[in-house]
């Protein structure tokens, strides 16, 4: 079945550092790919998405590019802030299945 | 003007009890979902309803019974609660094949 693998956390960085959170996927079809963020004590919010190969999703300084050849959707940000501290989830949705399959989540902590 | 709302936010109960969690969305979506997030933050789909019809049921014990009285509501009833049911339960909604919007979650603790 479909699956998503994220880099293990937790990840701790200093403010203004460069962030990469790796995400790879396995899918039989042509899934849409997502990054969701969960701030402490809150629900999940969609951060960005990409629906086809080579699409780049971006939001709030975060970017991720849908790489079909490497089955990856790595999340990047050039300069992180303390307010970016949260748990980040990579996910895919096979349109035929209509469900989201999540990675295990990566906890990110940014220190001032 | 909350998009997807859930009640209650916290639920503490004894083993063996029956409890319900309610979900409502005001986005006009036709598809609603229940996800379970365990203590390690892993998220997994439980159920999905489209226009009040069950379309996904992911190997969930039959103690869990979703009910959709209309397109804007999807409630989750749990019978004979067990310790392992302790988790955060998230409701979500979407238009078919579009991005999902999540509720704030219900933290269930079974003692």
């Amino acid at each position: 079945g479909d699956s998503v693998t994220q880099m293990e956390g937790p990840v701790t960085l200093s403010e203004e550092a460069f962030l990469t959170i790796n995400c790879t996927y396995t899918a039989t079809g042509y899934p849409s790919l997502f990054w969701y963020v969960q701030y402490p004590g809150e629900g999940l919010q969609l951060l960005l998405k990409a629906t086809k190969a080579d699409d780049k999703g971006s939001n709030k300084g975060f970017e991720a590019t849908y790489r079909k050849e490497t089955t990856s959707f790595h999340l990047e940000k050039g300069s992180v802030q303390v307010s970016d501290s949260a748990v980040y989830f990579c996910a895919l949705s096979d349109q035929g299945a209509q469900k989201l399959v999540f990675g295990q989540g990566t906890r990110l902590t940014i220190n001032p | 003007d909350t998009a997807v709302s859930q009640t209650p936010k916290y639920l503490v109960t004894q083993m063996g009890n029956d409890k319900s969690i309610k979900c409502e969305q005001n986005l006009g979506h036709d598809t609603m979902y229940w996800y379970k997030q365990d203590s390690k933050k892993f998220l997994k789909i439980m159920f999905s309803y489209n226009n009040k019809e069950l379309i996904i049921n992911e190997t969930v014990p039959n103690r869990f019974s979703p009910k959709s009285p209309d397109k804007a509501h999807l409630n989750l009833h749990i019978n004979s609660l067990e310790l392992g049911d302790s988790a955060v339960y998230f409701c979500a909604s979407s238009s078919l094949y579009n991005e999902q919007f999540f509720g704030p979650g219900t933290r269930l603790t079974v003692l």
Side-chain angles (χ1 to χ4, degrees), chain B residues 2 13 16 18 26 28 32 42 56 58 69 76 78 86 89 91 95 97 109 111:
Chain B
T2 305
T13 188
D18 303 338
N26 62 6
M32 296 185 72
F42 186 68
I56 294 175
E58 287 279 315
L76 183 65
I78 315 170
S86 295
Y89 293 84
C91 178
S95 297
Y97 303 138
T109 304
L111 303 175

Side-chain angles (χ1 to χ4, degrees), chain B residues 41-97:
Chain B
K41 295 287 190 182
F42 186 68
L43 272 154
K44 188 168 165 51
I45 187 145
M46 301 172 68
F47 300 103
S48 170
Y49 270 72
N50 176 254
N51 284 319
K52 303 197 303 175
E53 286 192 28
L54 180 68
I55 56 173
I56 294 175
N57 182 345
E58 287 279 315
T59 324
V60 177
N62 57 16
R63 298 182 296 103
F64 290 79
S65 53
K67 286 185 172 51
S68 182
D70 55 57
K71 285 197 315 182
H73 295 84
L74 180 63
N75 303 322
L76 183 65
H77 189 75
I78 315 170
N79 289 328
S80 303
L81 278 155
E82 300 177 357
L83 291 176
D85 297 333
S86 295
V88 181
Y89 293 84
F90 287 100
C91 178
S93 73
S94 73
S95 297
L96 196 60
Y97 303 138

Side-chain angles (χ1 to χ4, degrees), chain A residues 36 46 49 95 98-99, chain B residues 33 37 58 97 99-100:
Chain A
Y36 279 84
L46 178 66
K49 67 176 183 180
Q95 286 195 350
Q98 184 52 9
K99 65 183 182 184
Chain B
Y33 313 80
Q37 185 176 45
E58 287 279 315
Y97 303 138
E99 65 193 69
Q100 296 181 22

Side-chain angles (χ1 to χ4, degrees), chain A residues 8-76:
Chain A
E8 291 278 344
V11 173
T12 303
L13 296 172
S14 298
E15 209 165 17
E16 299 183 4
F18 185 86
L19 168 71
T20 300
I21 301 178
N22 289 338
C23 171
T24 57
Y25 68 90
T26 303
T28 51
Y30 299 96
S32 294
L33 301 174
F34 306 85
W35 277 99
Y36 279 84
V37 58
Q38 185 177 26
Y39 297 104
E42 297 185 13
L44 281 82
Q45 301 174 26
L46 178 66
L47 182 59
L48 52 85
K49 67 176 183 180
T51 58
K52 62 183 188 298
D54 300 326
D55 269 3
K56 179 187 278 189
S58 61
N59 186 26
K60 299 182 181 180
F62 291 89
E63 292 183 341
T65 301
Y66 190 144
R67 301 281 187 205
K68 188 162 175 276
E69 63 277 13
T70 54
T71 62
S72 65
F73 193 54
H74 304 321
L75 182 68
E76 295 182 335

Side-chain angles (χ1 to χ4, degrees), chain A residues 74-97:
Chain A
H74 304 321
L75 182 68
E76 295 182 335
K77 186 174 185 182
S79 177
V80 292
Q81 306 300 314
V82 172
S83 57
D84 294 327
S85 298
V87 181
Y88 291 80
F89 293 92
C90 186
L92 68 81
S93 174
D94 182 332
Q95 286 195 350

